[in-house]
Amino acid sequence: MGMISRVRGRIRSDSFSKFPLIKSEDKIANIVWLLSLVLLLPYWAPRGLLLALGGAWLMAAYTCLVLPVLISANYRYPARWYPSVVKFAQESARRMRAPVRKVLRVVKAAYAPLDRVEKFFLQMNNLSTMLSQLLIFTACDRLLVSQGRLTSLYSLMFYNVVTYSVSYVREICTKEDWSPYVNVTRHSRVKHLAMSATKIVLEWTKAVTFIVTITFILLTLGLEQGLEHYRPNALYTIITGIYYFLSEKTFLELGPVGLAGLKLERLEGMEAIYFGVWARGITTALAVPLVPALAWYERWRMATLVLYLCVFVHGRHRLGEALLKLKEARGSLARFRRATPEELATLEDVCAVCLGTMRSARVTPCAHFFHADCLRRCLAASDRCPICVRPYVFC
């Protein structure tokens, strides 16, 4: 019995002490890691297991319920090798920084000719806008319309007619000279016969074209013939309508006017700049989810075109230019403080630049009040106060 007791004691003291005990938190971390692998398996199934079982709604619900739980669980119980992996990744990134910079320089030099082509293409505003609209409409046609492959063309034609009608009505509302005659010179009363006849014919042609267009659209919408291939749904109409109206030049010019009617003081009279950023951002954001959706249905060429033209080119140049303008506007006004409501209430004055009432204003170091947009335009021409012509001195 004594020998058995000594053997047991030696085994307990020597053998088992060589194996470190696994802590409970490490066990939980390993279990969480393994469960994460198991719960992420449906994303790796061919063509999507969840999509095959319940469609996109089941996939979205599963993602919203499972992914936050997995992220929080791995954050709460991280495995021991997580910090090592993070440290290795940081060290690798530090070592690869210099080679990556060299590669980026080479890529930038090789991409320079294509960049010039992109800028030249965007300078042809009507053509580039029409191609981007056609791509988005065609992509929505392939994804959201099961039948009727001509839906995109019908929709684009309908939106173009709406744009033409709006621009014509806008021209009539903003027209100041209703005289059908054209004078020989600006201050002369002698009528130019040929130019007057051309102007009359042109105005009547516009009016007749407008009436015929509206009549044709009403007849087309009222008759079922000719619309058998036009079968848009609500989501298709919302996406294409928003993209078209936020990318078309006519509505880009009317948008700031409507936004100015809201009289939002936070915009400080820079509605055109803010609306440009919002319009470019929304159109780019609408094009982004179409790329993986087209790739999912193996429409690689369409996905590549949308990614390059509607996301990369328009996002990089047009959205980038709009953001740069907004940044410059904010940067030029950052030195001037906002006027308080008490100062505006006791001021009872108008802006010296535009002679408009001031609901919001910026204050110069020489204690003069201006609209933010008016002051920004003055700063573009001179760095002196428009009233006292003194240079701005900031303490």
Side-chain angles (χ1 to χ4, degrees), residues 217-247:
I217 290 299
L218 293 177
L219 290 175
T220 305
L221 294 177
L223 299 175
E224 295 184 359
Q225 290 84 0
L227 292 178
E228 53 184 288
H229 298 289
Y230 184 67
R231 299 177 182 178
N233 49 36
L235 183 59
Y236 178 91
T237 305
I238 291 172
I239 294 176
T240 55
I242 292 175
Y243 190 90
Y244 182 87
F245 292 127
L246 291 181
S247 60

Side-chain angles (χ1 to χ4, degrees), residues 160-319:
N160 284 327
V161 170
V162 172
T163 304
Y164 170 75
S165 303
V166 171
S167 62
Y168 183 73
V169 173
R170 177 193 176 190
E171 181 182 351
I172 293 177
C173 295
T174 57
K175 191 174 183 179
E176 297 180 356
D177 183 15
W178 289 90
S179 175
Y181 303 106
V182 179
N183 297 331
V184 176
T185 61
R186 183 176 181 181
H187 301 287
S188 174
R189 294 184 179 180
V190 180
K191 305 297 185 297
H192 195 294
L193 182 60
M195 295 297 295
S196 299
T198 304
K199 183 178 180 181
I200 294 173
V201 172
L202 182 61
E203 294 297 331
W204 276 104
T205 303
K206 289 182 180 179
V208 171
T209 304
F210 175 74
I211 295 173
V212 171
T213 303
I214 296 298
T215 305
F216 175 75
I217 290 299
L218 293 177
L219 290 175
T220 305
L221 294 177
L223 299 175
E224 295 184 359
Q225 290 84 0
L227 292 178
E228 53 184 288
H229 298 289
Y230 184 67
R231 299 177 182 178
N233 49 36
L235 183 59
Y236 178 91
T237 305
I238 291 172
I239 294 176
T240 55
I242 292 175
Y243 190 90
Y244 182 87
F245 292 127
L246 291 181
S247 60
E248 189 64 26
K249 180 181 178 181
T250 301
F251 297 98
L252 287 175
E253 295 174 354
L254 291 176
V257 178
L259 193 61
L262 300 177
K263 298 180 179 180
L264 300 176
E265 297 180 3
R266 297 186 61 182
L267 301 183
E268 297 185 302
M270 296 185 291
E271 287 84 2
I273 298 177
Y274 279 98
F275 186 81
V277 173
W278 295 342
R280 303 304 185 190
I282 292 173
T283 51
T284 306
L286 286 176
V288 169
L290 297 179
V291 177
L294 289 168
W296 179 264
Y297 288 101
E298 297 180 356
R299 299 185 180 276
W300 304 106
R301 287 180 294 182
M302 181 65 66
T304 304
L305 289 174
V306 173
L307 176 63
Y308 176 70
L309 185 61
C310 301
V311 178
F312 178 74
V313 175
H314 286 266
R316 176 170 172 261
H317 292 281
R318 289 185 172 172
L319 179 58

